[in-house]
Amino acid sequence: MKIDAVDFYYLSMPEILDIGDGSQDALLVRVQAGEHIGWGECEAAPLVSIASFVCPMSHSACKPVRDSVLGQRIDGPDDIRRIGDLVRAQSLDLLQADHTLSGIDIALWDLVGRQRGEPVYRLLGDHSATPKLPYASQLFGDTPAETLQKARNVRALGYRVAKFGWGSYGRGTNQDDANQVFAAREGLGDDGVLLIDAGTIWLDDVEVAALRLDALHACRVVWLEEPFISGALAAYRSLAALAGSVRLAGGEGCHTYHMAEQMIDHADLGYIQIDAGRIGGISVARRIAELSRARGVTYVNHTFTSHLALSASLQPFAASEPDAICEYPVEPRQLALDITSEHLVPDADGYLHLPDGPGLGLEPSLTGIAPYLVDVEIRVGGKTLYRTPKL
Amino acid sequence: MKIDAVDFYYLSMPEILDIGDGSQDALLVRVQAGEHIGWGECEAAPLVSIASFVCPMSHSACKPVRDSVLGQRIDGPDDIRRIGDLVRAQSLDLLQADHTLSGIDIALWDLVGRQRGEPVYRLLGDHSATPKLPYASQLFGDTPAETLQKARNVRALGYRVAKFGWGSYGRGTNQDDANQVFAAREGLGDDGVLLIDAGTIWLDDVEVAALRLDALHACRVVWLEEPFISGALAAYRSLAALAGSVRLAGGEGCHTYHMAEQMIDHADLGYIQIDAGRIGGISVARRIAELSRARGVTYVNHTFTSHLALSASLQPFAASEPDAICEYPVEPRQLALDITSEHLVPDADGYLHLPDGPGLGLEPSLTGIAPYLVDVEIRVGGKTLYRTPKL
């Protein structure tokens, strides 16, 4: 087979709110090779990611992603990895390329899986997928009272693990933040596992971050996620040394294998969180899952969008028993739900199962996404380089 | 003052060749605040960088760069740094944002410098600019015979330091590569300082890279640049341990302060090479220049485009005596020369001087760039988000 077409579909809610909710738009990718198709999703700014697929070449190491993908042979997993390497070499100076590649790589794994009738995790070498304990991932409420109610809701829905993040956390006083964390603990009950996400708010300021540790300890928080930006390794290490039983989590901002490797090796993380839609796709995510296991750092997916993205993000660590929990967005916008007609839903015991179907095991619903499709046109030098394709 | 307008100008040669020559296109930025203007340049894929300025918001940490720049107060250097921090926070998940910010940051320094009648280096705290010894930076010839001729040419022009890179280097046999390096040494003469640039060709493969060391030693090469991609810190360290008198250079791919910090701290570099047009502008480049001096790693600019970009890239280490050499592209395309009517040219003793004029000390020639202006239009949801502005 060879890659005949790559189509990008930019989807958006009618209104985008200025909140930390990444499910308000999406960029789907459909790859065609002969009669076979596969779907993927970039967790990335849609317009910019499309531009990096179609832009004119600047020089030999700053080519559009398209030049390393269209027309390539795709007979199996080795070709997917080879295409990824080619994109990284030929788009070395095109920063956005990793985000664009991510959706393409996912779509290629889906395509090969469907063609062979195998789920992606089996192509990756895992015989079966271990059920994961999903953690209910959501934003803090605007007030502690709202957070309390949110935590009660997810407990009532049967979630044993919950994460609250973003919103006002880290933007007010230490006491404001403590009130939020205590509210989450109260709503979740004594036996729930509580995770807190600071959304990189302290950049690399260890001192300010450390002020929050008392409340996190008092509320038995299991991880503090992204106190700092991904590259601030020394800050992560310093805070980890102060944090005792509260382990640090991070890594969603990583867009290369080496960036994640450095976080695993030098940030003293308890948990490395990888978004397959940013890191370069399932191929790179899998390498990091293997590395983190070897290093004793727990691998967790980062997913805050559709169930297509959720399936993609679970494939790289499907069979890893030590990596037992997974992120599960519980308050996605309608768009994220409408992308697929089938959804991954926890079973009666609260566990999430990867689908057995070929490829990612679920696919976009064309009627579901049609209302969200954004009309885009990019013209350069009198030529149309991109126009939103028909569904 | 407040920022009233930011305009991007995408310039391109009529034909882009598939070679490692980054001077074939350019992205200029003009910032206006009241009656004041400043110019900068992104060393980045133009269309993608424009898209990251104008794209619709995806969520609170994935906003277009525009949202953190337009309307901001700009009364001095602290505002420039504040705007950079704001872009990094509000465009956290927009990978291309660092490249787009770079040109804006440079233009803001130029604007404040012109408004105050001071060169940028003085705004950065340096009293005067030390002359730099420019190294003649160019691609290898297609054959060793061509490289020999190129090296003879730059020697005849009076350059005492020369760098050859990219082309076929690392793509053929070890002997092919050795032939190229010996040709460069022969042409440059015994007393010339020779630098070699591998253009990340070995990714992170230490073993293959190490095969080249014998020829580099035999030719008394002072630095081997970018044997690996920027994040491959362990590979850099391992090769450095084998390389003896040949020091490693790298860093042009860094797009954040922390990425460069990690290379300085963990890659065992002799030379850290920063492109102000990629790293986030002069503000971030300056911080790295200070850090590298404290760590005993020599700071060098990376510049392969216009003399506007050259001036911007020299400002951050203008007064640093230990950082004595600078990259100087000797074979730029006509576009790169036509961007400014004035040029930075070595003096009779072979030294390069930063201009004394306010801001960057030179400015784009509107008549020079007009023939290269690329017509771009980006439409989303029926609205034009970008159209090439009139010069």
Side-chain angles (χ1 to χ4, degrees):
Chain A
M1 298 186 285
K2 72 174 187 48
I3 298 176
D4 296 312
V6 178
D7 287 307
F8 285 87
Y9 299 91
Y10 176 1
L11 311 175
S12 178
M13 293 292 290
E15 189 190 2
I16 304 286
L17 305 177
D18 191 359
I19 58 174
D21 176 358
S23 72
Q24 302 182 80
D25 66 7
L27 182 60
L28 294 183
V29 190
R30 188 182 63 184
V31 176
Q32 271 189 279
E35 65 197 21
H36 301 284
I37 68 161
W39 286 91
E41 187 173 337
C42 305
E43 174 47 10
L47 179 69
V48 187
S49 303
I50 291 169
S52 95
F53 189 76
V54 303
C55 64
M57 170 167 70
S58 288
H59 57 81
S60 63
C62 194
K63 290 182 184 169
V65 173
R66 177 184 55 189
D67 285 12
S68 308
V69 176
L70 288 178
Q72 290 291 325
R73 286 216 63 79
I74 175 70
D75 293 328
D78 286 347
D79 284 321
I80 304 177
R81 298 186 189 101
R82 179 182 56 77
I83 290 166
D85 289 342
L86 195 61
V87 169
R88 280 181 288 271
Q90 297 204 126
S91 300
L92 177 72
D93 290 342
L94 206 181
L95 196 45
Q96 190 73 17
D98 292 318
H99 280 189
T100 304
L101 167 63
S102 296
I104 295 169
D105 177 278
I106 292 168
L108 288 171
W109 282 102
D110 186 45
L111 185 150
V112 172
R114 289 184 194 212
Q115 185 240 339
R116 297 190 179 180
E118 295 269 16
V120 169
Y121 64 80
R122 215 166 287 154
L123 300 179
L124 290 168
D126 288 338
H127 182 67
S128 60
T130 313
K132 302 284 180 196
L133 192 60
Y135 73 77
S137 186
Q138 60 201 305
L139 306 180
F140 276 113
D142 288 340
T143 62
E146 269 186 44
T147 297
L148 176 69
Q149 194 51 52
K150 282 183 168 214
R152 282 184 177 147
N153 290 349
V154 293
R155 187 178 70 169
L157 287 168
Y159 290 97
R160 280 168 275 174
V161 191
K163 185 176 86 182
F164 294 86
W166 295 76
S168 66
Y169 193 75
R171 294 172 195 274
T173 67
N174 191 23
Q175 187 59 51
D176 293 337
D177 288 353
N179 292 342
Q180 283 279 12
V181 177
F182 275 92
R185 167 51 76 198
E186 184 184 338
L188 199 59
D190 273 354
D191 55 343
V193 173
L194 179 59
L195 317 171
I196 298 294
D197 179 359
T200 77
I201 190 72
W202 301 300
L203 303 175
D204 59 2
D205 189 335
V206 178
E207 221 168 297
V208 179
L211 294 175
R212 272 66 185 180
L213 290 175
D214 281 349
L216 300 176
H217 280 127
C219 294
R220 291 174 292 111
V221 166
V222 167
W223 86 42
L224 173 63
E225 176 173 334
E226 288 213 311
F228 311 121
I229 50 175
S230 291
L233 306 181
Y236 270 96
R237 274 200 313 278
S238 301
L239 187 64
L242 301 171
S245 61
V246 177
R247 300 304 309 271
L248 301 186
E252 69 177 82
C254 295
H255 59 93
T256 68
Y257 171 82
H258 289 100
M259 206 174 160
E261 181 187 43
Q262 287 157 28
M263 290 204 76
I264 289 170
D265 285 346
H266 301 297
D268 201 1
L269 295 180
Y271 304 85
I272 179 89
Q273 304 170 290
I274 297 300
D275 199 313
R278 290 180 185 159
I279 193 78
I282 289 172
S283 304
V284 180
R286 173 68 176 194
R287 289 181 62 204
I288 297 165
E290 289 169 358
L291 178 72
S292 61
R293 206 171 321 150
R295 298 282 205 274
V297 173
T298 302
Y299 182 100
V300 194
N301 63 304
H302 173 266
T303 310
F304 213 76
T305 55
S306 75
H307 284 221
L308 186 81
L310 181 61
S311 172
S313 72
L314 295 175
Q315 305 289 339
F317 70 122
S320 180
E321 305 254 1
D323 306 324
I325 67 170
C326 71
E327 179 161 29
Y328 187 82
V330 287
E331 287 184 334
R333 299 282 143 181
Q334 194 59 38
L335 158 61
L337 293 175
D338 288 348
I339 284 176
T340 55
S341 45
E342 290 175 282
H343 298 96
L344 307 183
V345 180
D347 68 15
D349 296 323
Y351 282 89
L352 200 69
H353 299 259
L354 259 180
D356 283 335
L360 297 178
L362 31 74
E363 60 185 304
S365 156
L366 299 191
T367 53
I369 65 180
Y372 301 100
L373 194 59
V374 177
D375 192 40
V376 174
E377 186 177 5
I378 301 175
R379 290 175 60 81
V380 174
K383 281 170 61 180
T384 299
L385 297 188
Y386 177 84
R387 180 175 285 152
T388 302
K390 288 227 181 339
L391 274 170
Chain B
M1 297 185 286
K2 71 175 189 48
I3 299 176
D4 297 312
V6 177
D7 287 307
F8 285 88
Y9 300 91
Y10 177 2
L11 311 174
S12 178
M13 293 292 290
E15 189 189 2
I16 303 286
L17 305 176
D18 191 0
I19 59 175
D21 176 357
S23 72
Q24 302 182 81
D25 66 9
L27 181 61
L28 294 184
V29 190
R30 187 182 64 183
V31 176
Q32 271 189 279
E35 64 199 20
H36 301 283
I37 67 161
W39 286 90
E41 187 173 336
C42 304
E43 173 47 9
L47 179 69
V48 187
S49 303
I50 291 169
S52 95
F53 189 76
V54 302
C55 65
M57 170 167 70
S58 288
H59 57 81
S60 62
C62 193
K63 290 181 184 170
V65 173
R66 176 184 56 188
D67 285 12
S68 308
V69 177
L70 288 178
Q72 290 291 324
R73 286 217 64 79
I74 175 70
D75 293 327
D78 286 346
D79 284 320
I80 304 178
R81 298 185 188 102
R82 179 182 55 78
I83 290 167
D85 289 342
L86 195 62
V87 169
R88 281 181 286 271
Q90 297 204 124
S91 299
L92 178 72
D93 291 342
L94 205 181
L95 196 44
Q96 190 73 18
D98 292 317
H99 281 187
T100 304
L101 168 63
S102 297
I104 296 169
D105 177 277
I106 292 168
L108 288 172
W109 282 102
D110 186 44
L111 185 150
V112 172
R114 291 185 193 210
Q115 185 240 338
R116 298 190 179 180
E118 296 269 17
V120 170
Y121 63 81
R122 215 166 286 154
L123 299 180
L124 291 168
D126 287 338
H127 182 68
S128 61
T130 314
K132 303 283 181 197
L133 192 60
Y135 72 77
S137 186
Q138 61 200 306
L139 306 179
F140 277 113
D142 288 339
T143 60
E146 270 186 44
T147 297
L148 175 69
Q149 194 51 52
K150 283 182 166 216
R152 283 182 176 147
N153 291 348
V154 292
R155 187 179 67 170
L157 288 168
Y159 290 96
R160 279 168 276 174
V161 191
K163 185 176 86 182
F164 293 87
W166 295 77
S168 67
Y169 193 74
R171 294 172 194 274
T173 66
N174 191 24
Q175 187 59 51
D176 293 335
D177 288 352
N179 292 343
Q180 283 279 12
V181 177
F182 275 91
R185 168 51 74 198
E186 184 184 339
L188 198 60
D190 273 354
D191 54 344
V193 173
L194 178 60
L195 318 171
I196 297 294
D197 180 359
T200 77
I201 189 72
W202 302 300
L203 302 176
D204 59 2
D205 189 335
V206 177
E207 220 168 297
V208 178
L211 294 175
R212 272 67 186 181
L213 290 174
D214 281 349
L216 299 177
H217 280 127
C219 293
R220 290 175 293 111
V221 166
V222 167
W223 86 44
L224 173 62
E225 175 173 333
E226 288 213 310
F228 311 120
I229 50 176
S230 291
L233 305 182
Y236 270 95
R237 273 200 313 278
S238 301
L239 186 64
L242 301 170
S245 62
V246 177
R247 299 304 308 270
L248 302 187
E252 68 177 82
C254 294
H255 60 93
T256 68
Y257 172 81
H258 288 100
M259 205 174 161
E261 182 187 43
Q262 287 156 29
M263 290 203 77
I264 289 170
D265 285 345
H266 300 298
D268 202 2
L269 295 180
Y271 304 85
I272 179 89
Q273 303 169 292
I274 297 300
D275 198 313
R278 290 180 186 158
I279 193 77
I282 289 173
S283 304
V284 180
R286 173 68 177 195
R287 290 182 61 203
I288 299 165
E290 289 169 358
L291 178 73
S292 61
R293 205 172 322 148
R295 299 282 205 273
V297 173
T298 303
Y299 182 100
V300 194
N301 63 305
H302 173 264
T303 309
F304 213 76
T305 54
S306 76
H307 284 220
L308 186 79
L310 181 61
S311 173
S313 72
L314 295 175
Q315 305 288 341
F317 71 122
S320 181
E321 304 254 2
D323 307 324
I325 66 169
C326 71
E327 179 161 29
Y328 187 82
V330 288
E331 287 184 333
R333 299 282 143 181
Q334 194 60 40
L335 158 61
L337 293 175
D338 288 348
I339 284 177
T340 54
S341 45
E342 291 174 282
H343 298 94
L344 308 183
V345 181
D347 66 16
D349 295 323
Y351 282 89
L352 200 67
H353 299 259
L354 258 180
D356 282 334
L360 297 177
L362 32 73
E363 60 186 303
S365 156
L366 300 191
T367 53
I369 65 180
Y372 302 100
L373 193 59
V374 177
D375 191 39
V376 175
E377 187 178 4
I378 301 176
R379 290 175 60 81
V380 174
K383 282 169 61 179
T384 299
L385 297 188
Y386 177 85
R387 180 176 284 151
T388 302
K390 288 226 181 339
L391 274 169

